[in-house]
Amino acid sequence: TTEDLQTLVLTTLDKSNTISDTKDLTFNDAPVDQLVLFGALASLKSKEMIDFTPIECVSWVLTEEGKQVAKDGSHEARVFEAIPAGDEGLPIAELQAKVGPSAKPGQGKAFKNKWISKKGANLVRLVDSIVDETQKDLKEIESTGTLANEKTLGELKKRTLIDKQKTTTYSVSKGPDFSVQIKKEATDITTDMLQSGEWKNATFKKYNFDAAGVPPQGGHLHPLMKVRQEFREIFFEMGFQEMPTNCFAESSFWNFDALFQPQQHPARDAHDTFFLKDPATSDRYPRDLMEKIKKTHEDGGDTGSIGYNYVWKEEEAQKLILRTHTTSVSSYMLHKLSEETKKIGEFRPAKYFSIDRVFRNESVDATHLAEFHQIEGVIADKNLTLGDLIGFMDIFFKKMGMDKIRFKPTYNPYTEPSMEIFSYHEGLKTWVEIGNSGMFRPEMLLPLGLPPDVRVIAWGLGLERPTMVKYGISNIRDLLGHKVNIAMIKDYPICRLDKKMGKELVGLSE
Ligand code: PHE
């Protein structure tokens, strides 16, 4: 077995330091199989216990016919033996019966060797005795793998008695981690090892980066990503541009202050929002914009508002957080839009959307996660009214299959008026909240630098709830997070034909 061979190699090395050629190794008095040995050597080498290099050599082996000759004598010798001494000899017709298949090749060779000749219809001996050189040569090849006489080797090969064979043997030396004992190598850390502390002393098997891995069966899109794509297509066909949402970490400035959310607002405390420790702050916002926003919060500035009447602090705005909504991106994009307006000297209407992750410090349950995806839409144009928002919502949600839409007044620090969006759920026979919307306040838009007659309507909804409805998932933790069953992603259908949500439940994950 491999273990026996490994022990043999290690004890031999221990005694004599090196093995110059493994062809000399014997196990139980038999030469070792070099192929099995190779496996044993490779495994010892991977543990750095030994080092080895191959020795290629060409040797001769007997063919089946050659083995027969080595055992029973050559065809020519058998023909010679079959002919009795004396003048009588043997009638040619009887040779076949005596030596079988050796008759034909044996006769020719025996004639050539001048051992026999023809006398009438008989074969007679020409010599008293012979030496069977062919048998002797084959026996030597059988034990040594070769012969001194190249010419004879060629002849024997021609007679198909021998064949060339390539063999690989090895020269072996001690490796940096040599020892006579083979260490047990762990392939994986187990719970037991962690609990007993055994992992500290364990030796781990090295990764074999050259090993051929399991071929992947193909990629699979997560259901959330598929539904996201459906929403993206609705936005694109309605002429919207996608906002860059690659900033998960955002300053409170863009997430709250720029949205006219006062610094004492409860959403800004650690119970609702994740704060970053390192780095804890960022001041990547324009100073002049900050001054305007500070003034607006404190006393309304030039907006005609009286503000919140408190002392605005920059430390609060600098606090880095995981964005709590994608409206942080909208505020940043609207500021960019106003910069662009100033640059080209003319306002151009804009339609923006985004679908990406947001984070809230919430306790996780069947319908809530600490991170989820928001769908956000923003339209900026002159003279937009609440009627435009309601009309637009009707079209947008119809495209998603929800045709009964209703609005209810609500409050957001950054929109006035604000409306929660409800959709009628045929199954539940009730109105279900699906999103939140409103017209951004002048206290937000004017400091951002937009022309005073520009109105901005906006709305937001969650991506998880519509996805759960479409895919029949009842626990949000089956959809997102560390408990998700990867096979589920693979097993869901590639496409659903019921693109419409119809009477089903959609809503904001809140
Ligand atoms: N940001 C809001 C939320 O997270 C959604 C919203 C977006 C409301 C835009 C009004 C306007 O709930």
Side-chain angles (χ1 to χ4, degrees), residues 324-325 327 360 374 376 412 414-415 436-438 440 458-460 508 510:
T324 61
H325 51 188
T327 317
R360 300 214 182 142
Q374 266 190 346
E376 174 121 351
N412 294 311
Y414 38 90
T415 51
N436 188 355
S437 67
F440 284 138
W459 69 100
L508 201 68
E510 216 172 40

Side-chain angles (χ1 to χ4, degrees), residues 91 109 139 210 359 418 453 498:
K109 194 77 181 138
K139 278 187 168 163
D210 298 325
F359 308 85
S418 311
D453 54 347
D498 62 322

Side-chain angles (χ1 to χ4, degrees), residues 1 81 134 158 166 231 245 294 320 368 457 459 461:
T1 67
E81 300 301 344
T134 306
K158 233 186 188 158
K166 274 193 186 128
F231 279 106
T245 48
K294 171 186 163 82
L320 262 181
H368 292 86
I457 57 180
W459 69 100
L461 57 144

Side-chain angles (χ1 to χ4, degrees), residues 109-392:
K109 194 77 181 138
F111 276 119
K112 227 174 142 197
N113 287 355
K114 300 205 161 53
W115 289 352
I116 59 170
S117 74
K118 246 190 205 165
K119 199 171 171 195
N122 284 13
L123 291 169
V124 292
R125 286 188 179 186
L126 286 182
V127 291
D128 293 337
S129 66
I130 54 149
V131 178
D132 190 352
E133 292 291 346
T134 306
Q135 186 184 32
K136 268 174 70 184
D137 288 344
L138 288 176
K139 278 187 168 163
E140 179 163 354
I141 293 167
E142 202 168 36
S143 63
T144 66
T146 191
L147 270 189
N149 191 333
E150 285 282 332
K151 209 177 137 220
T152 313
L153 283 172
E155 278 165 15
L156 292 172
K157 166 115 176 54
K158 233 186 188 158
R159 292 176 67 187
T160 65
L161 297 174
I162 60 170
D163 219 345
K164 243 185 199 171
Q165 183 189 263
K166 274 193 186 128
T167 57
T168 309
T169 56
Y170 307 91
S171 87
V172 191
S173 59
K174 289 179 177 174
D177 255 346
F178 179 82
S179 120
V180 186
Q181 283 297 318
I182 301 170
K183 298 170 289 181
K184 274 241 155 49
E185 285 189 319
T187 45
D188 271 319
I189 260 195
T190 61
T191 331
D192 285 348
M193 289 168 90
L194 288 173
Q195 276 167 352
S196 66
E198 191 195 320
W199 65 272
K200 285 184 215 155
N201 303 317
T203 353
F204 289 94
K205 194 171 166 126
K206 281 219 171 76
Y207 276 114
N208 175 7
F209 291 107
D210 298 325
V214 181
Q217 298 169 338
H220 298 274
L221 279 179
H222 191 284
L224 272 175
M225 296 300 105
K226 295 189 209 175
V227 176
R228 178 170 78 164
Q229 187 57 20
E230 287 174 40
F231 279 106
R232 288 182 85 220
E233 275 158 24
I234 292 176
F235 277 114
F236 284 134
E237 75 186 30
M238 295 181 85
F240 281 73
Q241 230 177 301
E242 193 161 20
M243 294 188 271
T245 48
N246 50 354
C247 258
F248 285 7
E250 190 59 273
S251 61
S252 296
F253 182 84
W254 291 113
N255 194 84
F256 294 124
D257 295 282
L259 290 164
F260 196 52
Q261 188 142 335
Q263 295 190 323
Q264 312 74 33
H265 194 283
R268 297 176 70 143
D269 86 36
H271 296 291
D272 288 308
T273 301
F274 290 116
F275 287 83
L276 266 69
K277 272 199 191 129
D278 186 17
T281 60
S282 160
D283 60 0
R284 284 198 216 157
Y285 41 79
R287 298 306 293 176
D288 55 338
L289 174 63
M290 184 206 82
E291 289 302 336
K292 278 191 217 150
I293 285 172
K294 171 186 163 82
K295 198 108 185 51
T296 312
H297 277 240
E298 289 181 339
D299 60 19
D302 308 326
T303 64
S305 163
I306 57 163
Y308 289 119
N309 222 327
Y310 72 104
V311 180
W312 188 91
K313 294 207 176 72
E314 196 187 348
E315 302 105 82
E316 209 49 55
Q318 284 185 356
K319 286 183 182 166
L320 262 181
I321 59 166
L322 292 179
R323 67 174 175 225
T324 61
H325 51 188
T326 42
T327 317
S328 61
V329 184
S330 302
S331 68
Y332 171 80
M333 288 300 287
L334 288 172
H335 180 250
K336 263 190 78 169
L337 177 66
S338 79
E339 299 281 278
E340 188 66 16
T341 305
K342 279 173 209 152
K343 216 168 86 191
I344 60 175
E346 159 190 33
F347 173 78
R348 292 190 185 151
K351 289 186 192 172
Y352 298 140
F353 83 95
S354 68
I355 310 173
D356 208 347
R357 251 171 225 235
V358 299
F359 308 85
R360 300 214 182 142
N361 197 354
E362 281 188 283
S363 36
V364 170
D365 63 29
T367 52
H368 292 86
L369 286 178
E371 55 187 291
F372 58 94
H373 295 76
Q374 266 190 346
I375 304 167
E376 174 121 351
V378 179
I379 305 175
D381 201 353
K382 289 186 178 165
N383 306 318
L384 284 173
T385 66
L386 191 64
D388 290 307
L389 176 57
I390 292 173
F392 184 82

